């Protein structure tokens, strides 16, 4: 997977979830390899690193991020 496709997939997941549920998701579950590729995307990396000083409390589009042990997991809760 490339960084662009993972970023696009994440954006689509958030948009689809918001449309179907009428609200934003509470948490994004991201596999550690997917997170690595997403951090290569400048807009994602800037927003995430500016969201909090503590890496365990970072957010993307005001949605909490949880890094998982699965390689390329992308799920919303």
């Amino acid at each position: 997977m490339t960084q662009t496709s993972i970023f696009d997939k994440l954006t689509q997941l958030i948009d689809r979830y918001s449309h179907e549920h009428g609200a934003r998701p509470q948490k994004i579950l991201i596999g550690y390899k997917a997170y690595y590729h997403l951090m290569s995307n400048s807009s994602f990396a800037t927003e995430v690193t500016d969201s909090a000083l503590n890496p365990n409390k970072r957010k993307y589009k005001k949605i909490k991020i949880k890094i998982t042990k699965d390689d390329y997991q992308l799920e919303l809760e």
Side-chain angles (χ1 to χ4, degrees), residues 25-71:
Q26 297 295 315
K27 189 184 301 181
I28 305 171
L29 302 174
I30 303 175
Y32 69 99
K33 287 185 179 179
Y35 185 74
Y36 168 79
H37 289 290
L38 284 166
M39 289 303 283
S40 298
N41 182 298
S42 62
S43 63
F44 179 85
T46 301
E47 186 169 342
V48 170
T49 54
D50 290 347
S51 67
L53 294 175
N54 184 344
N56 295 324
K57 297 185 179 193
R58 292 195 172 158
K59 297 180 179 185
Y60 177 67
K61 294 188 175 183
K62 300 181 181 178
I63 305 168
K64 294 178 186 177
I65 295 176
K66 170 79 172 153
I67 308 300
T68 65
K69 294 179 182 179
D70 295 335
D71 292 349

